[in-house]
């Protein structure tokens, strides 16, 4: 009898330990899986893919919308139309048709990402981007961006994390009259470290990300100093999760459709204000083995504004603020400030 009781007690303790170990192992990965999951506007590699169409338009492909704005903006001194007296004649020949008109830029960005779901991370992100755009064959524009972002996060139960992400984005675009199109590719590597004080454990995770985002846009309206553009892009993303503990390596994939709308108004010859209105919809998601505690919201809007000013002939500075609206899972705010040069 005593031996039977002893066996039962041991079996019960083993079951409790097994369940506890399984729960704690799952908890190790909850926050990271949710942070990098589909629908999180703050996930570091997600926003980079949607920048390509906007940078391509800002660079000025072919009959540039930005050039039209500058032509339509009132002159600062005499009230005349800026650029109206531009000399006529043949366009200036380009020395190297494969690489010309380089435009480097540097940007700092900050993000506040609050996950409203259970076990979600509330993170603050700081990072910087350096990039180069250039004209290439015909009216095409190419570009490359490198981004580094550091995120500090906290969750319930004093759990914390910090994530360092390095990303490279390549993009190529072109336009036919008012229609512009292209694609971007992003390669990202993230080193995530999570800490669970109550369990006395630390977990390191390496996340490799690849995303591709084809886009198609339209300069839909241009009248005087006002131009409205709309671009549709599909961001396909694949992620590989590698853990330092005896956890099975994991992966995920997702696809998000983004309709990006911009209304640009030339306040003056050297200043323009851009209104931002995006619609985001997650259409496909393959979750990791560790499913999120609560499913994320799959549809939301991005609203914001960008102010750009030319401080000298070849130097522009800008500041941008955006917020996610209508997202039941996340509260997200982002600030971008940068400077670009043209040659």
């Amino acid at each position: 009898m005593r031996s039977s009781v002893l066996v039962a007690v041991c079996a019960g303790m083993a079951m409790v330990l097994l369940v506890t170990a399984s729960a704690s192992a799952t908890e190790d990965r909850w926050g990271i899986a949710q942070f990098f999951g589909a629908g999180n506007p703050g996930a570091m590699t997600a926003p980079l893919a949607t920048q390509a169409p906007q940078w391509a338009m800002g660079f000025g492909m072919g009959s540039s919308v930005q050039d039209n704005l500058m032509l339509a903006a009132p002159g600062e001194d005499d009230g005349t139309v800026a650029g109206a007296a531009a000399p006529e004649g043949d366009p200036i020949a380009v020395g190297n048709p494969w690489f010309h008109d380089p435009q480097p830029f540097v940007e700092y960005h900050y993000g506040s990402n609050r996950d409203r779901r259970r076990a979600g991370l509330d993170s603050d992100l700081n990072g910087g981007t350096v990039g180069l755009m250039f004209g290439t064959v015909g009216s095409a524009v190419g570009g490359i961006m490198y981004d580094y972002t550091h995120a500090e996060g906290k969750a319930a139960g004093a759990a914390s994390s910090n994530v360092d992400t390095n990303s490279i984005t390549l993009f190529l675009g072109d336009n036919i009259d008012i229609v512009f199109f292209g694609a971007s590719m992003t390669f990202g590597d993230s080193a995530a470290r999570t800490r669970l004080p109550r369990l006395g454990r630390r977990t390191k995770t390496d996340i490799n990300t690849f995303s591709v985002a084809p886009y198609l846009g339209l300069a839909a309206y241009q009248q005087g100093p006002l131009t409205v553009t709309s671009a549709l892009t599909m961001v396909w993303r694949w992620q590989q999760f590698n853990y330092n503990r005896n956890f099975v390596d994991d992966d995920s994939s997702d696809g998000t459709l983004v309709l990006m709308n911009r209304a640009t108004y030339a306040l003056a010859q050297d200043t323009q204000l851009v209104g931002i209105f995006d619609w985001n919809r997650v259409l496909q998601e393959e979750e990791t083995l560790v499913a999120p505690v609560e499913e994320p919201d799959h549809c939301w809007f991005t609203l914001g504004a960008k102010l750009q000013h030319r401080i000298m002939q070849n130097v522009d500075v800008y500041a941008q603020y955006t917020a996610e609206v209508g997202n039941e899972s996340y509260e997200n705010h982002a600030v971008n400030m940068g400077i670009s040069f043209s040659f």
Side-chain angles (χ1 to χ4, degrees):
M1 180 67 179
R2 289 182 178 178
S3 60
S4 299
V5 172
L6 182 60
V7 170
V9 170
C10 291
M13 291 179 63
M15 183 64 68
V16 169
L17 290 174
L18 182 61
V19 171
T20 302
S22 176
S24 63
T26 299
E27 189 175 354
D28 270 346
R29 294 174 286 174
W30 260 344
I32 292 300
Q34 289 196 169
F35 183 78
F36 282 89
N40 184 4
M44 283 82 78
T45 55
L48 296 175
T50 60
Q51 291 185 12
Q54 307 309 322
W55 279 116
M57 283 298 295
F59 179 83
M61 298 184 300
S63 55
S64 167
V65 171
Q66 183 169 334
D67 289 343
N68 290 342
L69 282 172
M70 295 301 101
L71 290 171
E76 294 183 348
D77 299 326
D78 54 9
T80 60
V81 175
E88 298 181 355
D90 296 332
I92 300 175
V94 176
N96 184 349
W98 292 94
F99 182 88
H100 58 87
D101 298 321
Q103 183 176 318
F105 59 90
V106 180
E107 176 180 287
Y108 162 77
H109 53 84
Y110 165 78
S112 172
N113 184 239
R114 300 294 179 258
D115 191 341
R116 298 189 175 111
R117 298 172 296 166
R118 289 183 296 124
L121 291 169
D122 291 340
S123 302
D124 293 303
L125 302 90
N126 288 275
T129 304
V130 294
L132 174 69
M133 293 178 292
F134 57 90
T136 183
V137 177
S139 57
V141 55
I144 181 171
M145 296 186 294
Y146 164 75
D147 179 89
Y148 167 76
T149 299
H150 176 76
E152 294 277 354
K154 293 183 178 180
S160 63
S161 74
N162 61 81
V163 183
D164 292 294
T165 299
N166 294 276
S167 303
I168 294 287
T169 299
L170 307 172
F171 62 89
L172 181 67
D174 205 341
N175 75 296
I176 300 176
D177 196 13
I178 63 173
V179 177
F180 60 103
F181 51 90
S184 69
M185 294 185 298
T186 299
F187 306 87
D189 178 73
S190 300
R193 296 162 292 277
T194 57
R195 181 172 179 267
L196 301 173
R198 69 181 183 82
L199 298 176
R201 357 178 10 147
R202 297 173 183 267
T203 300
K204 295 182 180 179
T205 311
D206 184 66
I207 302 100
N208 298 309
T209 302
F210 170 71
S211 67
V212 58
Y215 65 85
L216 177 66
L218 178 70
Y221 177 84
Q222 199 280 316
Q223 186 64 44
L226 177 65
T227 296
V228 177
T229 63
S230 186
L232 187 67
T233 183
M234 185 68 185
V235 183
W236 296 103
R237 189 171 58 152
W238 295 266
Q239 299 185 102
Q240 177 72 38
F241 295 79
N242 303 301
Y243 303 97
N244 71 324
R245 293 185 174 275
N246 295 324
F247 301 149
V248 177
D249 289 343
D250 213 343
D251 58 69
S252 68
S253 66
D254 52 76
T256 303
L257 187 68
V258 184
L259 178 61
M260 296 174 287
N261 304 288
R262 298 292 185 272
T264 304
Y265 189 85
L267 301 174
Q269 185 177 349
D270 54 5
T271 305
Q272 60 183 22
L273 179 66
V274 183
I276 300 170
F277 180 83
D278 298 345
W279 175 75
N280 311 268
R281 173 69 181 180
V282 178
L283 296 181
Q284 176 268 330
E285 180 181 10
E286 180 184 340
E287 298 175 346
T288 59
L289 296 174
V290 181
V293 181
E294 298 177 23
E295 286 296 325
D297 194 347
H298 282 174
C299 187
W300 68 94
F301 296 98
T302 303
L303 302 181
K306 176 181 179 180
L307 183 65
Q308 183 170 348
H309 177 69
R310 176 156 293 176
I311 58 176
M312 59 182 65
Q313 184 176 359
N314 297 322
V315 182
D316 289 6
V317 294
Y318 63 89
Q320 174 180 298
Y321 167 78
T322 55
E324 313 303 329
V325 177
N327 192 320
E328 297 180 355
S329 301
Y330 295 96
E331 178 184 348
N332 193 64
H333 302 270
V335 175
N336 300 64
M337 297 181 292
I339 182 170
S340 64
F341 309 87
S342 56
F343 299 95

